[in-house]
Amino acid sequence: MLAWGRLGYPRRALRLHAAATRIVEDHGGEVPSTHDDLLALPGVGEYTAAAVASFAFGERVTVIDTNIRRVEARAVTGVQFPRPSLSAAERALAAQLLPHEDHVLWNASSMEFGAVVCTAKAPSCGECPVLDLCAWQQAGAPA
């Protein structure tokens, strides 16, 4: 707590310690590999559980971050930005788009695509490999 305290997030240190304790007590010291087991750890939310399950353990689970939400909003639903809060419809869309094969690559590349090409402030639509399929562009890129 002394080392962590100056960062301004003492709750995170406490939750990290609680999660580590639970991992030792309930999982023999091994980080759980499933989304549900990760989500049950103190301080672990939906995004972290999905990201660890997907990227570290290869579980077929949808990872939804800000970049993925923006890419799916533009390319599929035709709006410039997703709503402020993740909706059930967005979860369903992300799950529908997640391929059965190469799902880890899909999650990682979708995140990277939103961070590098389909950015929030200055999307590089001229460099977009799915420009012809983009519902937002087909709608005239409305604000």
Side-chain angles (χ1 to χ4, degrees):
M1 287 298 296
L2 290 175
W4 199 289
R6 293 186 182 248
L7 297 174
Y9 300 105
R11 288 184 323 237
R12 290 184 181 176
L14 294 171
R15 288 185 181 145
L16 179 62
H17 183 267
T21 300
R22 180 85 56 83
I23 289 169
V24 169
E25 292 173 352
D26 297 350
H27 301 281
E30 298 290 325
V31 175
S33 61
T34 68
H35 176 262
D36 290 342
D37 286 343
L38 288 160
L39 196 55
L41 295 174
V44 175
E46 178 62 37
Y47 171 76
T48 300
V52 172
S54 176
F55 300 134
F57 297 106
E59 183 176 353
R60 185 178 181 273
V61 61
T62 306
V63 179
I64 305 173
D65 77 340
T66 301
N67 292 322
I68 290 175
R69 290 181 67 215
R70 185 176 51 259
V71 168
E72 292 177 356
R74 288 178 181 164
V76 181
T77 63
V79 297
Q80 183 179 20
F81 297 113
R83 294 179 179 206
S85 298
L86 181 63
S87 69
E90 283 180 280
R91 286 183 194 279
L93 175 61
Q96 178 185 353
L97 294 173
L98 186 69
H100 288 280
E101 301 284 327
D102 298 325
H103 47 272
V104 175
L105 180 61
W106 172 268
N107 283 327
S109 60
S110 296
M111 293 170 92
E112 184 73 6
F113 182 70
V116 175
V117 177
C118 194
T119 63
K121 292 184 180 178
S124 301
C125 297
E127 300 173 23
C128 180
V130 295
L131 181 64
D132 293 341
L133 303 172
C134 180
W136 183 55
Q137 284 296 317
Q138 290 174 359

